[in-house]
Amino acid sequence: MLTLIAEGNHGTNAMDDLIRNTKTAPRRPGAEGTLVGIATATAFVALPTAIWIMSHPPTATAFSDWMRAASYLGKTVSVPGAALFCLALLLSARIPLFERIFGDISASYRVHQWIGGLALILLSAHPIGIAIGYLAFSPIAAARFLLPISGTEKTIGIAALLLLQASIALTYWNRIPYHLWKLAHKILGFACLLGIVHALTINGAISDMPALKAILATYLTLGIGAWTYRSVAGRWLVPRRTYRIERVALLNQRCVELDLVPEGKAIAPVPGRFAFVTVLDPAVPREEHPFSIARIGDGGRISFMAKDLGDFTSKLKRVKPGSIALIEGPYGRFGSEAGGPNQVWIAGGVGITPFVGMAETMPDAISADLIYSFSSHDDSVALDVLRGVTARNPRFRLHEWPSSEKGRLTADTILEMSGGSANKDFFICGPGIMVRSIRKNLLAKGVLSGSIHEESFNFR
Amino acid sequence: MTAMKKTAIVALVAFVVVAVGIIAYGYSRPKTAQTPSLPATAGTPAVTAPTESNSAPVETAKIVTASELAAHSNESDCWMAVAGSVYDVTAYLPNHPAGPEAIAPYCGKDGTEAFLTKGGNGEHSDKAKEMLATMLVGNLAAN
């Protein structure tokens, strides 16, 4: 890795320190992390599954008809299903180690959602497969197997599965209130605990396999430990810094900016990164939400910008200066250090937020075109700040794109304004539809996937 | 919505449909006459198979000779004698919690002691005895 020390004269001590310490990083640092993450997750699941299959190898008899095959597969998929469930709980804990393993925290959350869905599928197939096997000799036995009417260990398993299914179904509901979404995740920890107890105690299976029992017990400990850390005892265990909200300013009819100063130790803010913010004010619910760090000032000052997009953000303008906010972070890998010397920054709406700080602290080694798309100038934010950077920094060029006047921003327009795609890194932040569309179109124009960086906060 | 979310939702719906279907099918089968009971082990009462079973009624149970029993002696065709009755456990073998290998040695033979003592590991549950009773073929001919 090539390390450069850059110097700048942007005026503030905090920004000077940031610029002096800026280093280049390999392109797409997340890519190596993602490969390591996939390998880690695969090994986590493959180990107990391999032990099970070696003890219960597939035989010709087991697949002699479709009912027997269903029974064999139903028993077998329970092991990777249980392992995936524990891994999903681990990933939900937002432990910095996983950000390194999976590339960035957004990626680890996407992996968490994916493996949670796969665990649900496999664990749902588990009792159905076994019940189909019972159908071969006794339909009533198959029916009774699916009901919690006999066997404590089986009843525990049924309860675990139903809790898992109900909780995950709730989290899939887009309109679910945030506090119910968090509650559904809390319930998942209980489901995991019941599921592993079922696996370890059900007669004649894993309970007779000491090695597999030890592995699943370890996975359960890790998963429940992570769940306890984040979902149960997070208020006391998760390290958060205390800030005081100094100013709440309406930037336009729908956007608000909060300026915060640290009370005690501050986070180490990096332009382009984001943090989880919990505001302790009666005007808003006590919930944590991710926000990009917009600006960084002296003495650890940071600011966030938020658009009125939901229950929480719509109430932020009523927060009183002097209220306390708890900050956890920074997270993410979005920032100019993730790319080469020539960059194109594409912002849609409130997606301008990370680019404000990135523009103000841009190292001398970087040259950037910022293309800012907004509906109309009434909806734009921070234009005065960005125009000021343009005026004093010849390596920064601002392209304003009011879509109500100029139409939708396209990849062709972006490349035309920025002078082509050769040897450039593209950074995109904005509404999901816009980010996906522009990414797709840039790829179609021949831009390499490794040269496109996105910021998305889709943790739901 | 991601592809995995869509797949998981489909799997959830399929789970409900199939589970309800199996339960409804199992309980919709016609009730039969009482099937023979399995002998009691020390300290526990004899277990009578539930009437809502799918095995053949007692009055049609056949007589199985020793040579006929011995002809069904492998995992793909496994009859076992327990306490004077003969049971076709072929379809059940893959579902046996301790694996088919626990039953396979008794295919075509008398497995009374093995069944009643669970291979020396205690005794089978009442549920296991009820399940065995649903697999009745007939009564073993007296020598």
Side-chain angles (χ1 to χ4, degrees), chain A residues 123-137:
Chain A
L123 292 173
S124 296
H126 166 56
I128 296 295
I130 297 175
I132 290 174
Y134 279 128
L135 276 177
F137 69 92

Side-chain angles (χ1 to χ4, degrees), chain A residues 8 20 69 125 135 153 170 181 255 298 301 317 339 359 388 409 417:
Chain A
R20 271 194 294 274
L135 276 177
E153 303 88 352
L170 273 178
W181 179 79
C255 286
D298 281 340
R301 275 179 164 73
K317 55 180 175 280
L409 183 65
M417 284 192 282

